[in-house]
Amino acid sequence: MSESTYLPVTEHLSDPAAAREEGRRKMDWALQHMPILEALREEFTAERPLDGEVIAMAMHVEAKTANLVELLADGGAEVAITGCNPLSTHDDVSAALDAHESITSYAVRGVDDEGYYDAMHAVVAHEPTITVDDGMDMVKLVHEEYPELIDSIVGGAEETTTGVHRLRAMDADGELKYPVFAVNDTPMKQLFDNVHGTGESSLATIAMTTNLSWAGKNVVVGGYGKCGQGVAKKASGQNANVIVCEVDPRKALEAHMEGYEVLPMAEAAEKGDVFITTTGNRDVITREHFEVMNDGVLLANAGHFDVEVNLEDLGDLAVDRFEARDGVEGFELPDGRVLNVLAEGRLVNLAAPLALGHPVEVMDQSFGVQAVCVRELATNGDAYEAGVHDVPDDLDREVAEIKLAAEGVAHDTLSAEQREYMGSWQHGT
């Protein structure tokens, strides 16, 4: 395989030394609040379970992710990483990673599509044995353009809902040729990262970007999966009126039973002040909705890719586009109404100028699961056939136990008699 000509992040920066220092400062702050990764770092450094592995990563390259990357490198792996979103990279953090002797970072903030994929090609040129993805772009690239690597890849791990959906579709078509853990689907990810992480970070980022209050606003949440539930819950907690739009009748019913107003998007579009999409799908908000929205609405995406709010439709309708605030683009319609798009329609809690992503404690849990999944692939990868795999429950529980111990929280355990009772079909009334 030919060597990539795309250069690491250090070559893209005017003052890499200063960037490295600031990136390290951010990483050190985050690590103080990541007891799971701290505990795993001790284990990985002592036992080096990843010796000989080459890990290719496409992630949001910011301080919390960086601590996962260093953990994997300290566990013996060579790691190459790039961004999974052009606007979520922190160049200083990327530079700090690139200074590690076992890490090469190609992540640069604000690259165009060509640069985004050039960097991904550069990562794959390291000839990985394990992939770690957030959105599945890396897995797709390997399968489509580097099939010769598949036999030497023991497996991968996928971080987010959108990526798992894509992987399951790929698997259903018989096109996924190595095992991938659906990290997104574990309880430790779903219950905390998706609900609390997405809810808190999305609302905090929108508030910081706009300097506007949630109280009394009509907040329309597109999708009522775990991410949508978190956004709805946190918005309601800040005294917003929440409207949920959902295509699944069971989730729509769940939102209704939780006390939220449930409407089709065509009706919600006439009422909303803030729209937050969380579906992982495309065209959640389109021309028909823009045409009836109120002046001054905010449009934000807390899903993965920038296709949930159809910006092509909005651009076609607009007679003017302007920077309303840093991170906010105003689209003026022929009748004078202005609809405001945050973070270019990309993942708002990571792509807005002030965005910091999920809270540190939440990502400690998710990245703890990522780390033990990579360890499992390195030590037991032959046990898994090609396809999407649930994370083994004992690994998810291991991460929860580390967190509870760090928090000083004790909990009950089943007695032998209780285990026998739960595992038997013989006991009657």
Side-chain angles (χ1 to χ4, degrees):
M1 191 169 68
S2 61
E3 187 174 334
S4 171
T5 58
Y6 191 84
L7 297 174
V9 61
T10 303
E11 304 300 323
H12 297 259
L13 302 178
S14 59
D15 190 349
R20 284 193 294 269
E21 183 178 352
E22 177 60 17
R24 175 57 55 185
R25 190 167 71 105
K26 291 180 178 179
M27 291 166 63
D28 288 346
W29 167 260
L31 193 59
Q32 292 180 54
H33 306 278
M34 302 182 86
I36 298 170
L37 290 197
E38 283 273 37
L40 290 172
R41 185 179 293 238
E42 291 183 18
E43 174 197 325
F44 278 40
T45 301
E47 300 179 8
R48 295 184 65 85
L50 307 182
D51 268 340
E53 303 294 344
V54 179
I55 302 175
M57 304 180 73
M59 304 284 281
H60 299 293
V61 182
E62 45 79 57
K64 301 178 289 292
T65 308
N67 285 321
L68 168 64
V69 179
E70 282 204 335
L71 165 65
L72 300 179
D74 291 344
E78 175 196 335
V79 184
I81 186 168
T82 187
C84 64
N85 183 305
L87 293 180
S88 63
T89 292
H90 291 207
D91 285 341
D92 49 7
V93 171
S94 184
L97 281 178
D98 198 51
H100 192 290
E101 63 181 5
S102 298
I103 300 170
T104 308
S105 180
Y106 298 95
V108 179
R109 184 180 179 87
V111 293
D112 58 17
D113 285 352
E114 182 179 1
Y116 175 81
Y117 285 105
D118 283 348
M120 200 161 292
H121 282 283
V123 168
V124 177
H126 287 252
E127 300 187 5
T129 59
I130 294 172
T131 61
V132 179
D133 251 322
D134 191 319
M136 206 209 87
D137 280 350
M138 185 75 70
V139 172
K140 180 174 182 289
L141 183 67
V142 167
H143 280 73
E144 290 185 344
E145 300 194 37
Y146 301 95
E148 70 276 10
L149 294 178
I150 290 174
D151 287 345
S152 58
I153 293 177
V154 296
E158 170 54 52
E159 173 77 11
T160 198
T161 307
T162 297
V164 171
H165 284 166
R166 297 177 76 195
L167 283 168
R168 292 197 187 281
M170 190 177 182
D171 195 11
D173 287 343
E175 296 297 327
L176 182 57
K177 303 303 184 183
Y178 61 79
V180 182
F181 283 125
V183 171
N184 176 78
D185 293 359
T186 67
M188 284 295 286
K189 174 76 161 57
Q190 292 274 315
L191 296 175
F192 305 104
D193 184 313
N194 291 12
V195 175
H196 294 285
T198 303
E200 291 182 19
S201 63
S202 297
L203 296 186
T205 302
I206 293 168
M208 287 190 297
T209 302
T210 63
N211 197 30
L212 298 176
S213 171
W214 292 104
K217 285 195 171 56
N218 293 329
V219 176
V220 178
V221 181
Y224 200 66
K226 292 299 183 184
C227 293
Q229 290 169 27
V231 171
K233 178 179 182 179
K234 303 297 182 178
S236 180
Q238 295 194 59
N239 302 316
N241 307 308
V242 175
I243 301 167
V244 171
C245 302
E246 180 52 73
V247 297
D248 186 312
R250 296 158 299 183
K251 291 180 180 177
L253 181 58
E254 183 181 11
H256 172 69
M257 295 295 283
E258 290 290 333
Y260 301 119
E261 186 175 5
V262 178
L263 291 174
M265 184 62 76
E267 296 181 30
E270 300 179 11
K271 301 180 65 172
D273 299 307
V274 183
F275 295 80
I276 306 173
T277 57
T278 66
T279 70
N281 207 337
R282 63 175 300 151
D283 297 332
V284 180
I285 301 177
T286 62
R287 177 185 294 266
E288 65 170 310
H289 309 123
F290 301 136
E291 288 174 342
V292 299
M293 285 181 178
N294 294 315
D295 182 35
V297 302
L298 306 179
L299 297 163
N301 171 39
H304 190 78
F305 293 117
D306 58 343
V307 295
E308 303 210 19
V309 180
N310 192 317
L311 297 181
E312 288 187 9
D313 283 357
L314 186 54
D316 289 344
L317 286 172
V319 295
D320 188 25
R321 297 170 64 161
F322 58 94
E323 185 180 32
R325 267 178 80 85
D326 195 16
V328 183
E329 185 174 14
F331 288 73
E332 183 179 349
L333 303 186
D335 60 5
R337 285 177 297 131
V338 174
L339 312 185
N340 298 293
V341 175
L342 277 65
E344 300 179 14
R346 297 188 182 276
L347 195 54
V348 68
N349 63 331
L350 281 158
L354 296 173
L356 296 173
H358 287 1
V360 176
E361 299 92 336
V362 166
M363 292 314 301
D364 185 36
Q365 298 178 178
S366 296
F367 289 154
V369 178
Q370 284 279 22
V372 297
C373 284
V374 172
R375 184 190 65 195
E376 175 72 4
L377 289 169
T379 57
N380 198 32
D382 291 343
Y384 300 92
E385 297 180 349
V388 180
H389 293 264
D390 291 335
V391 174
D393 196 56
D394 62 318
L395 299 183
D396 205 50
R397 289 177 181 273
E398 175 187 348
V399 174
E401 293 283 4
I402 294 171
K403 177 67 171 180
L404 287 170
E407 296 284 326
V409 177
H411 64 94
D412 289 322
T413 58
L414 293 175
S415 67
E417 292 80 6
Q418 287 174 319
R419 288 185 185 282
E420 189 278 331
Y421 184 87
M422 294 298 289
S424 173
W425 55 271
Q426 296 283 4
H427 301 288
T429 55

